C-alpha cells in the first residue's frame, strides 16, 4: 500500500552566521510517501553521515506541530505547501516523483542564520519579555471561578493564544513584520478580564520593542495569516491596532 | 543476582516526611520551616536547568520572591520545552462539577493509580496544592475551556470516576506552559532571571559535598561554560527517549539526570516506565518519533478489535476495513474486562490489554500491532459537530499523519452508521522513575534539587492522565519555592562563588575529555543507528512485558552495545560551532547507561506493578500481581564510580497511614 518517490532537494547550506551560504542539491531516492518531511531529512542526514559529511542542521523538537521549533521555507512557503500545519506535520505525499524541492531558512532581518536552516528567533522572546504577561505573583490568586468569563470570549482568547511562536508570519511577510505574532498575545489578554488592568502599557511596550528589534511595519497584506500553521486570524491585528490607538489616546 | 542485591546492607534513607496526620503535614512543614528574608534573597543565586512546566514555574516564582535565577534551556526559547505537547488536561480537586471530588479523593485515586508504590505524604501535598494551580493559571490569563455560564468546564480522564480535569482544547500543556513562560518573561524583564537558550547542562559541580554550579555547553559556539550558584535545581524531564521511539520530543534526554546520578544523587524506580495506550502505530523502520493521541479521546472513543480471528486476518491483509465490521462482531475488550471503568481504565491497564489482544493475533493493521479507537457511537449519539468541537484538532492531526479522517462516514450496516475508526497502539510516553528526592525535593546531594518528571516522587508505579502537568506546576509554583528556603537559610553567609576553583576546573576538564574521546573514535556507525539498536533492545526485552530471562539478555546486549558505541561511533565535523551529531552522541552515551539502570531495576523487582509488568508475576486473568510483602519500597540506585559496574541498590521502605494497600480493581 506504500508508494515511494524520488526527487531533488535544493537546500541552503551555511557554516555559521558569518560565512557565505549557498544552495546544495541532493538526490533523494525512494522515500515512502507516509514519511514526514523531517523524517525525510533524517534519512538524508543519515546518508550524509555515512559518507562522512556533515548533516544538514535544522530546528525541530516535538514533531507534533505544537512546540514551534521547526521552521523551513519550502518551495516558497513557510512550513511548506500544507495549510494549517507545521513543517513537522508535513508528509511526503504532498510531493511528487521527480520534483525539485527547495528548502531555505526563515529569511528576515530580525532572524540571523545560525547554521544551515537554523535561525536565531530570540527577538520573538524579547517582544514577549517587554509585556506579554499579566503582572501577578505566585500565590494569593482568588478562586478560579470567581470571575465568570463568557464562553465566546474564552474561546476567542484560546484561538489567539494558540500561536506557537514559530515566526512563519515574519518569514512570510514582505516587510518582515511580527504584527500577527504580537497581536495574538495582545488579543489573548485584551479578551480576558485578567489582562485588562495593564492592557495599555502592554500594547505600547510590545510594539515599541518590535520596532526596536528591526521588524518591519504592517501593510495589511495578509500573507502572515495565510501562512500561519495555527490559523491565527488577521482580525487579531485589527484588535491590536484598536488597542494601540486607545492606549495612545489615553496618553 | 537480585537476591544478593536485596540482602545488601540497608542504609537508612531519610525522606524527611513531616510529623502529624497526612492532611496536616504540609501545613505543619510550612509553619515550621526556615525562611530567607528579602535582603538575603538578593544575595543568593539559584540555577534552574530546564524550562518546562516545573522549570519555568520554579524559575519565575523564585525570581518573584527575590532570588537571582539562572535559567537554562536546550531549545532556542524557553517556550518550546516538551511540556508544551501535553494535550489532555490538568487535574485538580475543585469539585466544581459537584460529583463528590475532594482533596482526599484525588490523593486516593493518584495513590491507587500508582499501584501503591508512591509516597503517601508527597501525593497528599500534590492533591492539596492542585486547586491553587488552577487559580494561579486563571489569574495568569490561561484560557481554560468554559461553559456557557462563564464557569470553568471539566472532563473525565482515566483512573477516576469524577470529572476533575481542566483543559484548554487539546492544547492544555501549551497553554499552561505559555502561562509559566509569561511569568518567566516578566522576571527576565525585571532582571531577576537570566535566561540561557541553546545551552545544555553537561555536569553538576560539587564543592565540599554541596552542589555549587554546572558546566554547560553553548550549543551555538560549541564552547563549555561554567556557572556557579548557591543551589542547583534540575527540571530536565524524563528518560523515555532511551527507547528511541517514544512520544517525547527529539531533544528530550536524560543526560542532566545521569550527570547528577554519577555525582552521587540516587536514581529511584527506573523500571517504572509508562506506556501510553493511544499512540499512532509505528509505520516503518525510518520513523524518528511517535505521535500521541490524547487520552481524552477515550471519553467518547470506544476501543475494540474483531471478535473473530478471521476478521482480524482480513484486516491485516487489507481486504476489509474496520467500518465493514458490524457492532455485534466487535469485541470492546476494555468494557468487557473492566465494566466499572470501561475505556477509562488507567494507562498501564489499557496498554497491556491492547498488547494481550494483539499477541493473540487480533491486531487490526498490516503489522498486527494496532487496535481500533472508534467514535461511531458518540457521533451517532451527539452529532459530528459536538465531537469535532471536542476533538477536532486531534482528528485533523490524525488525518494529516495517516490520511484517514476519523470523522468521515464510512459505512452503513442495518441502519447503523459507521465512521472511520482511528488505529492506535501503546508507545513509551512518560517515566515515573527519576532522581530520588526527599519531601523537600532535595536529592541525595545537598543543594541539588530535582522537580517535575525528572524526579520520582509522586506517581508511584504508574501515572494517571492529567497528573503530569499537575505535578510539574505543583513542584515549581508551590513546593520547591518553599522547601528550597529551608536549605538556603543557612547559606546566606556564603558569598557568591568564583568559577575559578579546582572543582570547576576538574569538572570542565572531565566533560571536555569525554567530548574529545567521542570525537576521536572515528568509527563507522552514526549516532542514530546505534540509538535505534538501543531502542529495539529496550522495547523487546525491557518494554511492556518483561521476564527474568529477557532482562538478563538485555543487560548482556547493552554491554555489547556500549562497546560498539565506544569503538565504532562516527561523528562528522569538529567541536567548533554547532555540531548536532556530537550533541546526540553525548546524550546517547547516557541513554545506554540509563537502559542498563532500567534493566537492573526491572530484574530486581520480582512482582508486577503499574508500568512494570513481569510476565512471571500475573494472575490467571492476566492482571498484574503485586507483592506487597517483599517489594513495598522505593528502589534506589547508587552509582559505583563506573558505567561498567553494576550499581548498588538501596531501599526506602514505604509507610502508609491514610490508605489501606489493596489490589487495584477497575472491574467493579
Amino acid at each position: 500500500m506504500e508508494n515511494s518517490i524520488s526527487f531533488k532537494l535544493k537546500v541552503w547550506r551555511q557554516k555559521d552566521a558569518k560565512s557565505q551560504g549557498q544552495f546544495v542539491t541532493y538526490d533523494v531516492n525512494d522515500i515512502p510517501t507516509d514519511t514526514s518531511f523531517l523524517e525525510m531529512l533524517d534519512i538524508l542526514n543519515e546518508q550524509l553521515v555515512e559518507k562522512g559529511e556533515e548533516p544538514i542542521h535544522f530546528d525541530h523538537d516535538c514533531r507534533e506541530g505544537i512546540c514551534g521549533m521547526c521552521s523551513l521555507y519550502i518551495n516558497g512557503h513557510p512550513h511548506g505547501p500544507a495549510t494549517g500545519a507545521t513543517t513537522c506535520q508535513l508528509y511526503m505525499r504532498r510531493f511528487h516523483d521527480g520534483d525539485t524541492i527547495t528548502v531555505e531558512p526563515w529569511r528576515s532581518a530580525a532572524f540571523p542564520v545560525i547554521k544551515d536552516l537554523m535561525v536565531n528567533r530570540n527577538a520573538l522572546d524579547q517582544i514577549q519579555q517587554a509585556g506579554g504577561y499579566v503582572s501577578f505573583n505566585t500565590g494569593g490568586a482568588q478562586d478560579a471561578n470567581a470571575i465568570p468569563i463568557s464562553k465566546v470570549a474564552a474561546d476567542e482568547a484560546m484561538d489567539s493564544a494558540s500561536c506557537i511562536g514559530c515566526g512563519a508570519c515574519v518569514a512570510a511577510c514582505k516587510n518582515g513584520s511580527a504584527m500577527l505574532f504580537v497581536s495574538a498575545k495582545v488579543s489573548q489578554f485584551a479578551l480576558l478580564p485578567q489582562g485588562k488592568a495593564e492592557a495599555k502599557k502592554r500594547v505600547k511596550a510590545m510594539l515599541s520593542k518590535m520596532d526596536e528589534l528591526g521588524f518591519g511595519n504592517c501593510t495589511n497584506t495578509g500573507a502572515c495569516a495565510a501562512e500561519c500553521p495555527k490559523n491565527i486570524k488577521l482580525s487579531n491585528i485589527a484588535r491590536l491596532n484598536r488597542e494601540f490607538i486607545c492606549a495612545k489616546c489615553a496618553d | 543476582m537480585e537476591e544478593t542485591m536485596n540482602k545488601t546492607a540497608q542504609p537508612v534513607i531519610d525522606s524527611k516526611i513531616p510529623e502529624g496526620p497526612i492532611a496536616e503535614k504540609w501545613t505543619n512543614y510550612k509553619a515550621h520551616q526556615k525562611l530567607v528574608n528579602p535582603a538575603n534573597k538578593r544575595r543568593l543565586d539559584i540555577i534552574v536547568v530546564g524550562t518546562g512546566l516545573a522549570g519555568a514555574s520554579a524559575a519565575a516564582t523564585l525570581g518573584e520572591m527575590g532570588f537571582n535565577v539562572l535559567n537554562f534551556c536546550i531549545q532556542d526559547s524557553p517556550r518550546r520545552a516538551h511540556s508544551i505537547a501535553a494535550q489532555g488536561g490538568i487535574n485538580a480537586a475543585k469539585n466544581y462539577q459537584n460529583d463528590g471530588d475532594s482533596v482526599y479523593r484525588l490523593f486516593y485515586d493518584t495513590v491507587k493509580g500508582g499501584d501503591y508504590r508512591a509516597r503517601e505524604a508527597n501525593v497528599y501535598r500534590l492533591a492539596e496544592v492542585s486547586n491553587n494551580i488552577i487559580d494561579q493559571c486563571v489569574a495568569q490569563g490561561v484560557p481554560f475551556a468554559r461553559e456557557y455560564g462563564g464557569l470553568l468546564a471539566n472532563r473525565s480522564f482515566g483512573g477516576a470516576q469524577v470529572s476533575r480535569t481542566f483543559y484548554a482544547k487539546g492544547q492544555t500543556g501549551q497553554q499552561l506552559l505559555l502561562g509559566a513562560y509569561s511569568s518567566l518573561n516578566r522576571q527576565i524583564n525585571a532582571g531577576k532571571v537570566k535566561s540561557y537558550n541553546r545551552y545544555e547542562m553537561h555536569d553538576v559541580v560539587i564543592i565540599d559535598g554541596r552542589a555549587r554550579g554546572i558546566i554547560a555547553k553553548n550549543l551555538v559556539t560549541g564552547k563549555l561554560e561554567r556557572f556557579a550558584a548557591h543551589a542547583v535545581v534540575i527540571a530536565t524531564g524524563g528518560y523515555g527517549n532511551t527507547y528511541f521511539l517514544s512520544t517525547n520530543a527529539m531533544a528530550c534526554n536524560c543526560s542532566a539526570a545521569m550527570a547528577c546520578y554519577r555525582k552521587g544523587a540516587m536514581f529511584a524506580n527506573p523500571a517504572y516506565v509508562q506506556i501510553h495506550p493511544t499512540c499512532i502505530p509505528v509505520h516503518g523502520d525510518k520513523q524518528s518519533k511517535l505521535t500521541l493521541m490524547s487520552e481524552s479521546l477515550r471519553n467518547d472513543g470506544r476501543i475494540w478489535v474483531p471478535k473473530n480471528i478471521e476478521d482480524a486476518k482480513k484486516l491485516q491483509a487489507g481486504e476489509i476495513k474496520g467500518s465493514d465490521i458490524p457492532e455485534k462482531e466487535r469485541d470492546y475488550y476494555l468494557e468487557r474486562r473492566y465494566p466499572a471503568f470501561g475505556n477509562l481504565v488507567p494507562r498501564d491497564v489499557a496498554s497491556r490489554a491492547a498488547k494481550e489482544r494483539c499477541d493473540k493475533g487480533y491486531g487490526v493493521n498490516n503489522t498486527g500491532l494496532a487496535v481500533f479507537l472508534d467514535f461511531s457511537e458518540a457521533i451517532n449519539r451527539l452529532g459530528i459537530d459536538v465531537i469535532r468541537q471536542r476533538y477536532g484538532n486531534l482528528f485533523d492531526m490524525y488525518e494529516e499523519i495517516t490520511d484517514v479522517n476519523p470523522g468521515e462516514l464510512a459505512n452503513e450496516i442495518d441502519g447503523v452508521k459507521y465512521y472511520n475508526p482511528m488505529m492506535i497502539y501503546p508507545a513509551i510516553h512518560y517515566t515515573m522513575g527519576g532522581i530520588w528526592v526527599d519531601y523537600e525535593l532535595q536529592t541525595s546531594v545537598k543543594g541539588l534539587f530535582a522537580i517535575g518528571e525528572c524526579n520520582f516522587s509522586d506517581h508511584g508505579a504508574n501515572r494517571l492522565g492529567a497528573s503530569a502537568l499537575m505535578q510539574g506546576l505543583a513542584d515549581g509554583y508551590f513546593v520547591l519555592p518553599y522547601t528550597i528556603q529551608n536549605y538556603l537559610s543557612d547559606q546566606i553567609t556564603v558569598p557568591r562563588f568564583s568559577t575559578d576553583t579546582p572543582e570547576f576546573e576538574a569538572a570542565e576538564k572531565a566533560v571536555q575529555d569525554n567530548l574529545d574521546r567521542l570525537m576521536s573514535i572515528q568509527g563507522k556507525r552514526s549516532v542514530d543507528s546505534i540509538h535505534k539498536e538501543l531502542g529495539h533492545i529496550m522495547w523487546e526485552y525491557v518494554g511492556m512485558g518483561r521476564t527474568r530471562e529477557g532482562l538478563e539478555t538485555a543487560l548482556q546486549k547493552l554491554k555489547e552495545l556500549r562497546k560498539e558505541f565506544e569503538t565504532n561511533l562516527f561523528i562528522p565535523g569538529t567541536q567548533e560551532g554547532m555540531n548536532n551529531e556530537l550533541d546526540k552522541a553525548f546524550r546517547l552515551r547516557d541513554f545506554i547507561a540509563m537502559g542498563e539502570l532500567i534493566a537492573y531495576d526491572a530484574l530486581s523487582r520480582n512482582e508486577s506493578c503499574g508500568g512494570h509488568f513481569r510476565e512471571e508475576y500475573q494472575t490467571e486473568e492476566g492482571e498484574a500481581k503485586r507483592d506487597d510483602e517483599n517489594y513495598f519500597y522505593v528502589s534506589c540506585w547508587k552509582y559505583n564510580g563506573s558505567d561498567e559496574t553494576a550499581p548498588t541498590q538501596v531501599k526506602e521502605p514505604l509507610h502508609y497511614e491514610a490508605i489501606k494497600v489493596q489490589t487495584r480493581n477497575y472491574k467493579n
Side-chain angles (χ1 to χ4, degrees), chain A residues 138-139, chain B residues 26 129 132-133 136 473-482:
Chain A
T138 302
Chain B
W26 181 230
V129 302
N132 301 90
I133 297 171
Q136 163 86 7
L473 290 180
D475 286 0
Y477 282 132
F478 297 108
V479 180
L480 178 88
Y482 278 83

Side-chain angles (χ1 to χ4, degrees), chain A residues 42 46 57 59 61-62 64 67 89 93 115 118 125 129 137-138 143-145 149 159 161 163 165 188, chain B residues 61 64 75 77 80 94 96 135 141 150 152 169 175 181 198 250-251 288-289 400-401 526 578 580:
Chain A
D42 292 340
E46 192 73 7
H57 281 60
D59 267 323
D61 201 19
C62 77
E64 293 181 19
C67 76
Q89 295 175 300
R93 68 179 79 92
K115 183 167 185 167
M118 255 180 198
D125 284 328
Q129 288 157 14
N137 281 358
T138 302
D143 185 84
N145 260 347
I149 299 173
D159 287 342
C163 168
Q188 177 197 344
Chain B
T61 305
E64 287 165 9
Q75 295 91 350
S77 161
R80 314 230 192 265
K94 283 284 193 186
Y96 284 159
D135 299 342
L152 291 161
K169 278 196 175 166
Q175 293 309 314
Y181 166 75
R198 294 197 197 263
M250 302 299 285
S288 308
K289 160 86 183 26
E400 189 63 40
I401 295 173
S526 71
M578 183 168 266
N580 266 346

Side-chain angles (χ1 to χ4, degrees), chain A residues 66-67 185, chain B residues 50-57 60 75 77-86 90 137 140 142-144 168 171-185 469 473 477:
Chain A
I66 194 75
C67 76
K185 194 41 79 177
Chain B
T51 59
L53 286 176
S57 60
Q75 295 91 350
S77 161
R79 66 181 294 156
R80 314 230 192 265
H82 193 53
S83 304
I84 203 146
I90 177 165
C137 294
Q140 282 172 336
V142 170
F144 282 121
Q171 296 147 248
T172 318
Q174 178 197 32
Q175 293 309 314
L176 296 177
L177 185 65
L178 293 182
Y181 166 75
S182 72
S183 289
L184 182 65
N185 281 332
L469 303 185
L473 290 180
Y477 282 132

